[in-house]
Amino acid sequence: MLTAQEAESLILQLTQPLDPKDDRETVDLSAAADRILAAPVSGTQDFPHWDNSAMDGYAVRYGDVAQGSTENPVTLDIVDEIPAGSTPKKTIQVGQAARIFTGSMLPPGADTIVMQEDTQREGDWVKILTSPKPQAFVRHRGAYYQAGQPLLQAGIRLSGADIAVLATAQCLQVPVYRSPNVAILSTGNELVSPGQPLQPGQIVDSNQAALAALVARTGAKPICLGIVPDQPEILKAKMAEAIASADLVLSSGGVSVGDYDYVDRILAELGAEIHVRSVAVKPGKPLTVATFPKANSNRPVLYFGLPGNPVSSLVSFWRFVQPALRKLSGLRDGWEPAIVQSKTLQDLRSDGKRESYVWGQVRLTKGEFSFEIAGGSQSSGNLINLAQTTGLAILPIGQTAIAAGESVSLLLVNGLG
């Protein structure tokens, strides 16, 4: 049985990212948010595009105002007014100034801005009541970016700020990685879909809906293949279909040691190389990780056989699948689980035999994380108190308790990690 760290390392080694050429598509700028950039982007224009003012005030020649003060103000002739978006009409000569606004082009001849608060206007004249620094409040052309230089690097998830940069560079068509295809199936004779009437002994399949939502949140494309009964031939056909159609496969159930747990056996029959069969974690000990060669690609298809218990399935996704999906998607870095240090507000306990995860809510107050355990039973079958989970407190192997007020490692989930 592997430790969580050993399993994580092995899974990330097995995960090969999408190819930046073969797995690339071009999307409109309006559709590029949260996509992974597949190629570096460069701009064709300097930024700022031209010298401009960082303040409302007056564009002047520094030599004219170097000695200005409240006691001995310098008086200049206002020869132009330059609203934002317009082109200067005059060249500033000795003894002249132009009224200027934030973002407006600097007129020829001027090299310094005096902000409005340090002036006094009288008709077509302005008194300069201070001695500014040379080139004060001037944003020079190309000061922030020079045309042709790398603007954004490949392998980043495009945020709102990145979209602003692309818009400024007038990059209307954006090269991004395609969304990975993730096939999802649930196994078990006892399962029914959420829309079916529930008969005695049956269980609603919550795993497929939950996993599809989590997959979509990573930017991948869930392909839901439904519920498959514990019948080897039917299961084998559906697993083969999933493997052929996806970059990564998630099945839940059928990976333990019961009489109806067929997944590992069928994976072997289909030609899989099985790398992980169980992990020393709680919940989520039964975990199968396998690979299949992918036609016309050096990147294998990853297969994750997750536990059937709802909490175990989701914890396994957060701990092991989500990092693999991040790497698969083309992200350059930052695949690993987001683990931070926090203070627990209640006592935490485990049997110490496996790395144990306790779920609950994380708060960030004045720069410090705190963790509050979810009320009710911390059972792998209790899906109800998993609602609104934002973090998993981690109790290492060999540690049976962490007292309230002490530090604990937290795996951030559901948008926090």
Side-chain angles (χ1 to χ4, degrees):
M1 193 185 316
L2 299 178
T3 67
Q5 290 71 29
E6 290 169 339
E8 175 194 321
S9 178
L10 177 57
I11 289 166
L12 288 176
Q13 288 175 28
L14 294 170
T15 304
Q16 299 301 315
L18 296 176
D19 187 273
K21 294 181 179 179
D22 295 338
D23 296 308
R24 183 167 73 183
E25 61 188 19
T26 301
V27 299
D28 292 341
L29 177 62
S30 60
D34 286 330
R35 300 297 297 272
I36 310 299
L37 193 63
V41 173
S42 297
T44 59
Q45 299 185 58
D46 294 336
F47 189 76
H49 305 315
W50 44 74
D51 292 354
N52 70 89
S53 176
M55 284 285 180
D56 290 350
Y58 294 87
V60 301
R61 298 164 59 97
Y62 176 72
D64 286 345
V65 300
Q67 304 304 318
S69 67
T70 303
E71 295 77 17
N72 296 291
V74 175
T75 302
L76 302 175
D77 182 17
I78 302 170
V79 297
D80 198 4
E81 181 168 303
I82 314 166
S86 65
T87 302
K89 301 179 182 65
K90 300 287 184 67
T91 297
I92 303 304
Q93 308 291 343
V94 174
Q96 296 180 339
R99 179 76 167 107
I100 200 167
F101 301 89
T102 302
S104 297
M105 289 183 67
L106 195 70
D111 57 16
T112 299
I113 304 296
V114 180
M115 63 180 181
Q116 184 172 307
E117 292 85 343
D118 293 330
T119 67
Q120 181 180 327
R121 182 165 182 168
E122 297 178 357
D124 292 335
W125 299 84
V126 61
K127 290 183 177 180
I128 308 300
L129 308 176
T130 186
S131 175
K133 294 181 179 179
Q135 303 185 49
F137 303 118
V138 174
R139 296 186 289 216
H140 291 283
R141 174 176 176 171
Y144 306 146
Y145 172 76
Q146 290 81 48
Q149 296 297 311
L151 190 62
L152 295 175
Q153 296 291 342
I156 63 170
R157 187 179 297 278
L158 293 169
S159 67
D162 301 322
I163 297 298
V165 169
L166 292 171
T168 296
Q170 297 183 305
C171 180
L172 304 182
Q173 297 293 303
V174 185
V176 296
Y177 286 99
R178 67 172 177 84
S179 299
N181 294 317
V182 179
I184 306 171
L185 55 100
S186 301
T187 71
N189 292 331
E190 74 280 14
L191 297 178
V192 297
S193 67
Q196 290 181 269
L198 193 63
Q199 302 299 324
Q202 293 182 329
I203 299 172
V204 175
D205 174 25
S206 61
N207 285 347
Q208 190 146 184
L211 292 173
L214 292 172
V215 164
R217 193 163 192 167
T218 70
K221 185 184 300 181
I223 303 171
C224 294
L225 298 180
I227 298 168
V228 187
D230 291 323
Q231 299 177 31
E233 291 307 313
I234 297 176
L235 182 56
K236 185 175 182 179
K238 187 60 73 172
M239 288 170 62
E241 176 188 342
I243 293 159
S245 66
D247 301 291
L248 186 148
V249 179
L250 297 177
S251 67
S252 61
V255 291
S256 192
V257 293
D259 292 345
Y260 296 94
D261 292 326
Y262 299 119
V263 169
D264 282 15
R265 191 189 84 188
I266 293 173
L267 285 172
E269 292 174 1
L270 291 171
E273 183 176 356
I274 299 179
H275 305 274
V276 179
R277 294 182 184 274
S278 63
V279 184
V281 298
K282 182 181 182 181
K285 174 184 173 183
L287 176 69
T288 295
V289 181
T291 53
F292 288 88
K294 187 176 180 68
N296 303 317
S297 175
N298 293 324
R299 175 173 42 79
V301 176
L302 277 170
Y303 190 105
F304 286 85
L306 306 180
N309 277 329
V311 175
S312 299
S313 185
L314 268 64
V315 168
S316 296
F317 181 93
W318 286 320
R319 185 65 180 87
F320 301 112
V321 181
Q322 185 165 272
L325 272 176
R326 286 172 175 162
K327 183 175 181 181
L328 174 63
S329 70
L331 271 178
R332 184 177 57 197
D333 49 34
W335 321 308
E336 297 83 0
I339 296 177
V340 300
Q341 290 303 119
S342 171
K343 179 179 71 174
T344 179
L345 302 181
Q346 293 95 17
D347 294 341
L348 305 176
R349 301 189 183 282
S350 79
D351 60 14
K353 296 177 181 178
R354 290 176 277 163
E355 182 170 286
S356 297
Y357 305 116
V358 178
W359 52 96
Q361 287 75 49
V362 180
R363 303 282 185 269
L364 181 60
T365 305
K366 296 182 178 179
E368 293 187 355
F369 288 105
S370 62
F371 175 75
E372 183 174 1
I373 190 172
S377 169
Q378 290 272 319
S379 164
S380 61
N382 182 12
L383 179 63
I384 303 304
N385 73 343
L386 199 65
Q388 292 298 296
T389 290
T390 51
L392 304 175
I394 304 173
L395 282 78
I397 294 174
Q399 186 165 5
T400 58
I402 298 177
E406 292 186 354
S407 178
V408 62
S409 295
L410 281 185
L411 171 61
L412 302 179
V413 302
N414 281 343
L416 290 181

